[in-house]
Amino acid sequence: MTADFTKRLTETLLDRLEVLAWGHPRPLALHEPEFSGAEWDYVRDTLDSGWVSSAGSYVERFESQVAQACGVAHGVAVSNGTSALQVALHVAGVGADSEVLMPSLTFVATANAVSHTGATPHFVDVEKTTLGICPKALADRLDAIGERRSEGLFNRETGRRIAAIVPVHIFGHPVDVDGLMAVANSYDVPVVEDAAEGLGSLYKGRPCGSYGTISALSFNGNKILTTGGGGVVVTDNADLAKRVKHLTTTAKRPHAWDFEHDAIAWNYRLPNLNAALGCAQMEQLPDRLARKARLARRYAELFRDFDGAAVFSASPDCVPNNWLNAIVLDEERAGARDALLDATNSAGFHTRPIWRPMHSLTMYADHPRGDLSVTNEMVSRVICLPSSAHLADTHNGVPQS
Ligand SMILES: *Cc1c(COP(=O)(O)O)cnc(C)c1O
């Protein structure tokens, strides 16, 4: 009977996607970039002026647009979201001989950024409601391994200092921020937000990116807004922002002609060319969020009373940016995931599973971890659906607004 149900589930899923996609050309991408504002003008301006590279006025403008959207005082533009996270961790005090508590259920960049600081990712479980780090699992883990010493909190099993907690706002859905901050504050461990997917998402009316000591955003081509490739570090802390700027621009002391560098640093600058694109994209953020919200509502309607799965929806207190829409298969239907992915992709709908969890990848297989049963379960139940904003623009061929 399971095979019959899987067949029926596949047919209904394809039916609903056909309704959603009516009038839209195939294949239907998972998430397409969209350039419908001043992109050409601003990019042409960088070419006309010759300011295409690491200096130029669009960089500062983009930085302040992103900081403002995140409700914080400072933004520093960098080459991508991974480098943004790495530098944010570094200035927050993460480095060799330390550990960072983070979800296993995330894109590989989170764990890589932690590793590149010299620290060890330590995996904790997520909650079903947000797919983000579970405050209870985090507290349980800290109770089990944490040891308070005068120099800070240590993992008594490995002897390493626990230097940060990195929550990830999955698909633009905020984590349980209050729950997380209560645990982080009680153990006095700084929070570095991986807000790569969270631009424009709100928790209790406050934007993602504003909760951590420091946070990282991504403007990769598949994110809600894009600079082609790019990232921004945001923080309210002026000193941290200054250090991020210095360390991502080769740590050169300002001087008319001398080359004095005072640290081993990086060239993680965002070119002015990309920042120009970013300025035009940021001007479209309110419109993009409104259309993404409309698309999320359409998905909710289409999958109401859907037998075998439910739309992954916002938690109370949250207004997500709806970057990616997803369905969660009923627990007993998890076995149907791959058949559904095969059938939808063959039919021209680019659906995707959630990432393989970090602890299942060879390079992170032996890393410290708590119980990851929710992570393991949800991996087999989540399917991401085509989520480009333009899908909200027509309904049965009729323009929407
Ligand atoms: C996209 C993403 C990143 C990395 O951003 P890049 O700009 O691609 O380097 C990090 N974490 C998460 C959760 C992401 O989705």
Side-chain angles (χ1 to χ4, degrees):
M1 286 304 101
T2 311
D4 277 358
F5 190 89
T6 299
K7 189 157 169 284
R8 227 172 44 236
L9 188 56
T10 308
E11 282 163 7
T12 357
L13 177 57
L14 285 170
D15 270 359
R16 307 283 160 108
L17 289 174
E18 291 287 352
V19 173
L20 179 96
W22 198 91
H24 293 270
R26 310 290 163 73
L28 211 59
L30 185 69
H31 199 280
E32 281 173 317
E34 193 177 289
F35 307 107
S36 45
E39 284 87 352
W40 276 110
D41 290 342
Y42 294 173
V43 169
R44 188 180 295 107
D45 184 40
T46 68
L47 299 178
D48 288 344
S49 68
W51 291 98
V52 292
S53 192
S54 46
S57 59
Y58 286 106
V59 174
E60 286 104 81
R61 192 159 134 198
F62 179 55
E63 288 173 338
S64 62
Q65 282 174 309
V66 176
Q68 197 185 357
C70 292
V72 300
H74 310 280
V76 180
V78 295
S79 50
N80 56 55
T82 312
S83 53
L85 189 57
Q86 186 196 334
V87 178
L89 288 159
H90 176 81
V91 300
V94 174
D97 300 322
S98 67
E99 271 177 31
V100 170
L101 293 168
M102 57 166 282
S104 178
L105 191 63
T106 182
F107 179 53
V108 69
T110 319
N112 287 345
V114 169
S115 302
H116 287 310
T117 66
T120 301
H122 182 142
F123 304 119
V124 292
D125 216 355
V126 295
E127 15 179 33
K128 291 182 188 179
T129 46
T130 65
L131 293 179
I133 198 161
C134 173
K136 167 99 174 47
L138 185 64
D140 288 349
R141 191 65 188 149
L142 285 168
D143 284 343
I145 57 131
E147 184 177 297
R148 292 171 203 264
R149 300 188 199 157
S150 53
E151 319 91 274
L153 185 70
F154 283 72
N155 179 340
R156 74 162 70 88
E157 291 175 359
T158 63
R160 288 186 287 249
R161 189 171 65 88
I162 296 171
I165 299 167
V166 178
V168 185
H169 308 292
I170 301 287
F171 307 152
H173 287 272
V175 303
D176 170 4
V177 174
D178 284 352
L180 165 73
M181 295 312 292
V183 178
N185 291 337
S186 78
Y187 282 92
D188 202 18
V189 179
V191 168
V192 177
E193 273 178 81
D194 181 343
E197 304 177 2
L199 176 68
S201 298
L202 306 175
Y203 177 87
K204 294 193 173 169
R206 239 178 84 183
C208 287
S210 69
Y211 289 95
T213 301
I214 189 165
S215 310
L217 288 98
S218 168
F219 288 83
N220 191 38
N222 62 345
K223 298 299 201 281
I224 190 161
L225 297 181
T226 185
T227 54
V232 179
V233 178
V234 292
T235 179
D236 259 331
N237 184 315
D239 178 54
L240 291 183
K242 225 169 121 184
R243 285 182 61 210
V244 169
K245 191 67 168 183
H246 190 61
L247 289 173
T248 54
T249 55
T250 72
K252 185 184 178 300
R253 307 287 298 241
H255 192 282
W257 43 259
D258 198 10
F259 292 104
E260 190 198 348
H261 305 264
D262 61 7
I264 299 176
W266 295 283
N267 173 16
Y268 280 175
R269 282 179 271 232
L270 184 74
N272 200 43
L273 191 63
N274 300 75
L277 205 53
C279 290
Q281 289 272 289
M282 284 303 292
E283 290 168 359
Q284 295 160 65
L285 180 61
D287 173 69
R288 194 69 54 94
L289 290 170
R291 290 158 66 227
K292 300 283 278 182
R294 199 190 309 147
L295 179 60
R297 286 196 297 274
R298 283 222 62 206
Y299 266 120
E301 282 161 28
L302 275 173
F303 285 87
R304 187 170 293 145
D305 309 320
F306 189 79
D307 192 12
V311 161
F312 181 62
S313 57
S315 299
D317 298 329
C318 296
V319 182
N321 64 8
N322 298 295
W323 172 52
L324 280 191
N325 293 280
I327 50 170
V328 180
L329 299 173
D330 292 352
E331 214 172 324
E332 64 278 16
R333 303 299 170 197
R337 188 196 80 165
D338 292 3
L340 292 169
L341 287 165
D342 278 337
T344 45
N345 279 284
S346 304
F349 299 107
H350 289 186
T351 60
R352 293 289 180 270
I354 197 166
W355 316 276
R356 287 186 185 213
M358 296 304 102
H359 68 279
S360 75
L361 303 178
T362 50
M363 63 282 194
Y364 296 120
D366 60 356
H367 277 46
R369 72 187 69 157
D371 172 67
L372 297 173
S373 42
V374 178
T375 299
N376 289 328
E377 181 192 327
M378 295 313 279
V379 164
S380 61
R381 293 177 57 193
V382 173
I383 296 179
C384 298
L385 304 173
S387 297
S388 302
H390 70 79
L391 288 170
D393 295 345
T394 60
H395 185 184
N396 296 336
V398 180
Q400 305 287 297
S401 61

